[in-house]
Amino acid sequence: MDALGVEEKPVLAQVENGVGRLTLNRPQALNALTTAMCRDMAHTLSQWATDDRVRYVVLDHNGRAFCAGGDVRAAARSGRGDGEAARDFFRTEYRLNTLIKRFPKPFVALIDGVTMGGGVGISVHGSHRVSNENTLFAMPETGIGLFPDVGGGWFLPRMTGETGTWLALTGERLKGADVRAAGISTHHVAASDLPALKAELLAGPERHPKSGNRFSDSMARPNEFIDNILHRYDRPVGEPSYTEHLEAINRIFGKATLADIAIALKLEDSDWAQHQGEVLATRSPFSMSVTLRHLREGRRLETFEQVMEMEFRIASRLCQSHDFLEGVRAVLEDKDHSPHWLPQSIGCVSAHSVEALFQPLPRELYD
Ligand code: QUE
């Protein structure tokens, strides 16, 4: 509600100057995505896909965070019951991720600030992602008993070497230029340049005075128009700050099983590896086992849609699982940050219980 008691829309949509602008507008919840927000954005984007007034889309946000994730508290509330609302959320969110992946026009996400989980899913699949020094990326789901969804099964195993496996299992955060160096963003700009960049993107192309309302030649190729703007603001980034660990990341996180990865971290003679091992020890063993299997399968699958179907099978079941409900309780509700995972250790996760999440769902759960 604003000062006058008027309900604020959680997503703002407008078309101006040939540009479709979506603005995440739930700043008090760090723009965490609700089912209604995902449905709203999906509805708007599917119209803009064929609307000639829209040459490209710009996604930005109000408040300090771009998007902290999905409304997982609501999903857990549903998961404590029949899980129907949680499945409705994941179904809607994944359809939005797919729409963005398949969007037929340029899609520019300005990932300024916290961009985690669900926030990654509405940006990383777009054609253009613009980071700055305030961008903070993570897929932190194994810390709440979930798994890196929203197309994590697609983009994580397609990152250099085993970088994606490392980020997915540990939930490690990437900051600023590292987001660009890792290929999560396509362009990296100075935060102080963002207002001017945004103004140029939203001003769209000049219109030809003689052709009335028709767009100028530059707008016949919106990709060139956008690339030209972004190129002028783009700042070079060097090697990622974790370059010195890449050899160990590829060697250790490339192991066949989670137990092998955990043991290899323990045996490695470096403070960095010891720290990674300590981080893994705080994450859900079941979630990490599911995540590793999910990324290996996602690397093999040929289409984004196949990955999203796999993710829906997993999420539909995981939303009612012990570790998810416990993770949300410990991290987001009680905030004691001491979840009691079941099973407690990596060695006790049964392959059968992991496998069960990947099995086809009864037909009626898809729609
Ligand atoms: C893992 C997650 C999420 C998370 C923390 C995790 C997530 C999410 C939020 C979040 C944070 C602040 C909010 C909010 C949600 O935190 O998905 O509404 O105000 O949305 O460790 O996956």
Side-chain angles (χ1 to χ4, degrees), residues 262-314:
I263 291 165
L265 286 171
K266 273 224 166 75
L267 294 178
E268 185 86 357
D269 185 22
S270 85
D271 290 344
W272 178 85
Q274 292 316 304
H275 176 68
Q276 302 306 304
E278 285 161 21
V279 171
L280 285 197
T282 69
R283 306 302 189 216
S284 155
F286 186 63
S287 283
M288 288 189 288
S289 305
V290 170
T291 296
L292 189 60
R293 164 87 164 79
H294 166 234
L295 296 197
R296 298 289 192 253
E297 187 73 14
R299 182 175 278 167
R300 224 176 46 77
L301 292 175
E302 279 168 14
T303 70
F304 188 78
E305 285 77 6
Q306 289 174 316
V307 170
M308 299 320 288
E309 172 158 359
M310 168 173 69
E311 292 192 355
F312 187 64
R313 291 175 179 181
I314 302 167

Side-chain angles (χ1 to χ4, degrees), residues 13-23 44-45 47-60 100 103-110 126-130 196-207 215-230 232-233:
Q14 61 180 57
V15 178
E16 225 175 303
N17 310 321
V19 185
R21 180 187 189 180
L22 285 173
T23 304
T44 302
L45 285 175
Q47 292 195 322
W48 286 355
T50 56
D51 183 340
D52 287 341
R53 294 177 309 149
V54 176
R55 297 312 174 102
Y56 58 86
V57 170
V58 173
L59 171 63
D60 68 351
I100 292 169
F103 200 65
K105 303 170 184 181
F107 181 99
V108 189
L110 303 175
S127 60
H128 299 73
R129 296 91 65 182
V130 184
L197 166 60
K198 204 187 271 199
E200 280 197 47
L201 286 171
L202 295 175
E206 281 194 53
R207 284 159 197 248
F215 291 101
S216 64
D217 290 349
S218 66
M219 217 33 178
R221 294 184 215 87
N223 247 315
E224 274 174 36
F225 179 78
I226 289 167
D227 287 341
N228 179 284
I229 296 176
L230 291 181
R232 280 187 283 111
Y233 287 92

Side-chain angles (χ1 to χ4, degrees), residues 234-265:
D234 200 14
R235 299 281 172 103
V237 301
E239 293 286 300
S241 63
Y242 54 85
T243 298
E244 57 174 315
H245 307 302
L246 264 179
E247 181 278 322
I249 287 170
N250 294 339
R251 179 167 40 81
I252 296 173
F253 287 90
K255 304 251 176 228
T257 70
L258 185 61
D260 290 341
I261 292 171
I263 291 165
L265 286 171

Side-chain angles (χ1 to χ4, degrees), residues 123-142:
S123 53
V124 76
H125 308 302
S127 60
H128 299 73
R129 296 91 65 182
V130 184
S131 57
N132 62 54
E133 67 269 26
N134 300 323
T135 304
L136 190 62
F137 160 97
M139 292 299 281
E141 290 90 349
T142 58

Side-chain angles (χ1 to χ4, degrees), residues 20-174:
R21 180 187 189 180
L22 285 173
T23 304
L24 302 171
N25 186 38
R26 203 174 160 241
Q28 67 289 349
L30 306 180
N31 292 320
L33 301 173
T34 62
T35 308
M37 288 165 76
C38 293
R39 188 165 286 141
D40 222 51
M41 284 192 277
H43 178 74
T44 302
L45 285 175
S46 52
Q47 292 195 322
W48 286 355
T50 56
D51 183 340
D52 287 341
R53 294 177 309 149
V54 176
R55 297 312 174 102
Y56 58 86
V57 170
V58 173
L59 171 63
D60 68 351
H61 63 95
N62 287 329
R64 275 172 48 90
F66 171 73
C67 175
D71 190 358
V72 283
R73 263 173 290 208
R77 244 177 279 129
S78 163
R80 288 183 186 109
D82 65 8
E84 256 321 300
R87 278 187 280 276
D88 191 38
F89 169 70
F90 291 118
R91 193 186 292 116
T92 311
E93 186 184 33
Y94 298 173
R95 279 185 182 154
L96 173 61
N97 302 145
T98 307
L99 260 171
I100 292 169
K101 173 77 184 168
R102 299 295 183 201
F103 200 65
K105 303 170 184 181
F107 181 99
V108 189
L110 303 175
I111 49 170
D112 170 31
V114 168
T115 304
M116 296 189 184
V120 175
I122 56 169
S123 53
V124 76
H125 308 302
S127 60
H128 299 73
R129 296 91 65 182
V130 184
S131 57
N132 62 54
E133 67 269 26
N134 300 323
T135 304
L136 190 62
F137 160 97
M139 292 299 281
E141 290 90 349
T142 58
I144 57 163
L146 210 53
F147 72 114
D149 61 346
V150 297
W154 181 263
F155 79 88
L156 290 164
R158 284 165 181 77
M159 293 176 75
T160 309
E162 296 293 337
T163 306
T165 314
W166 164 56
L167 295 173
L169 291 177
T170 61
E172 179 78 78
R173 297 167 171 202
L174 296 182

